[in-house]
Amino acid sequence: MQDEKLIPLSALQHFAFCPRQCALIHNEQAWAENWLTAQGQVLHQRVDRGEPETRKGIRYERGVLVSAESLGITGKLDLVEIELSTGSMKPVEYKRGRPKRDNWDRIQLCAQGLCLEEMRGRPVRSGALWYWQTRHRDEVEFTSELREETVAAIRGVRDLLVSGQTPKAVYEKKCDACSLYDLCNPKLLGRDGSARYVDDLFKEVDEQ
Ligand code: SF4
């Protein structure tokens, strides 16, 4: 699979959060920085600056570039912990906010594990999410259900990117925390018939 067709790991989290957000960012290259994304970027820049180190039998590697050609995904891992006695690996992803009930972050983490498995040819059974806001580390087991959900998300992102379409806005509670809220305007677009009419006009032009 060619590099340009590889899906960035971050797109999986965007897609799991909201397919429209994923399309706006990855199909339409829209990016609105709010204080949430700005804090997240600062956090990841700090993480990337860290040098590899070994403590108490664990090797810590930061900013690790990975890909899984068979799945068509690629990205940069915040941290990989390698247990030197067994060689077992664990991806660790730093998040700005707090743990979520939905699997948005766990899907991205699981995809990281799938990349490590393919690249290093050994099973990766779990990973960890570290939440800045709550200073809390969540261990995440890569169960068969989570793996299936992750592969389905990869398929969903690919279909979305290939289609070039952007799903319509539907306002939900999570929109309030979305970095693209102003650009997306889900409350207006969700109920504004004229906006839908304009959308349909563009769709018809695209289809010609
Ligand atoms: S504001 Fe809501 S509908 Fe719009 S992109 Fe964000 S999460 Fe999706």
Side-chain angles (χ1 to χ4, degrees):
M1 202 170 283
Q2 296 298 305
D3 264 7
E4 59 266 27
K5 290 184 184 159
L6 295 180
I7 292 167
L9 290 171
S10 60
L12 298 175
Q13 199 257 4
H14 297 143
F15 180 82
F17 177 68
C18 170
R20 177 172 168 81
Q21 191 205 57
C22 181
L24 287 171
I25 293 171
H26 298 278
N27 268 350
E28 301 190 18
Q29 276 73 51
W31 185 257
E33 187 167 292
N34 63 12
W35 69 274
L36 296 171
T37 55
Q39 277 191 332
Q41 278 168 13
V42 169
L43 175 63
H44 283 95
Q45 278 160 12
R46 279 187 205 156
V47 169
D48 279 358
R49 278 206 303 264
E51 294 294 319
E53 56 180 327
T54 301
R55 275 184 279 124
K56 296 183 180 168
I58 309 272
R59 170 97 176 150
Y60 298 89
E61 291 184 3
R62 297 186 169 83
V64 180
L65 291 169
V66 294
S67 62
E69 295 279 328
S70 68
L71 295 165
I73 50 177
T74 187
K76 193 195 248 184
L77 276 49
D78 286 341
L79 176 68
V80 180
E81 294 177 353
I82 305 163
E83 199 175 275
L84 294 179
S85 60
T86 62
S88 80
M89 294 171 293
K90 184 179 281 197
V92 180
E93 170 78 7
Y94 291 86
K95 294 290 180 194
R96 185 207 57 79
R98 53 179 65 238
K100 298 151 191 94
R101 210 182 43 215
D102 295 277
N103 272 345
W104 308 325
D105 297 339
R106 288 183 278 275
I107 285 172
Q108 185 183 4
L109 185 71
C110 182
Q112 296 182 355
L114 296 176
C115 287
L116 285 173
E117 279 185 350
E118 183 165 320
M119 288 181 72
R120 308 235 173 138
R122 53 182 308 151
V124 176
R125 302 188 199 287
S126 66
L129 292 163
W130 200 97
Y131 290 96
W132 192 25
Q133 205 174 328
T134 54
R135 306 292 196 271
H136 174 84
R137 177 172 163 137
D138 250 2
E139 298 295 319
V140 178
E141 196 191 337
F142 299 150
T143 61
S144 51
E145 290 81 13
L146 182 58
R147 286 167 186 265
E148 279 168 23
E149 204 178 339
T150 303
V151 171
I154 294 168
R155 216 177 295 126
V157 173
R158 177 161 302 105
D159 289 348
L160 185 73
L161 299 190
V162 167
S163 79
Q165 299 290 315
T166 300
K168 294 229 175 344
V170 178
Y171 176 77
E172 293 178 51
K173 186 84 191 82
K174 66 184 177 188
C175 295
D176 297 336
C178 177
S179 56
L180 297 185
Y181 185 94
D182 290 340
L183 198 142
C184 170
N185 215 342
K187 281 186 176 165
L188 181 67
L189 287 181
R191 63 165 193 270
D192 183 350
S194 64
R196 265 199 300 278
Y197 170 71
V198 172
D199 265 3
D200 287 344
L201 275 184
F202 278 108
K203 207 163 100 200
E204 279 170 27
V205 169
D206 282 347
E207 284 165 357
Q208 282 169 4

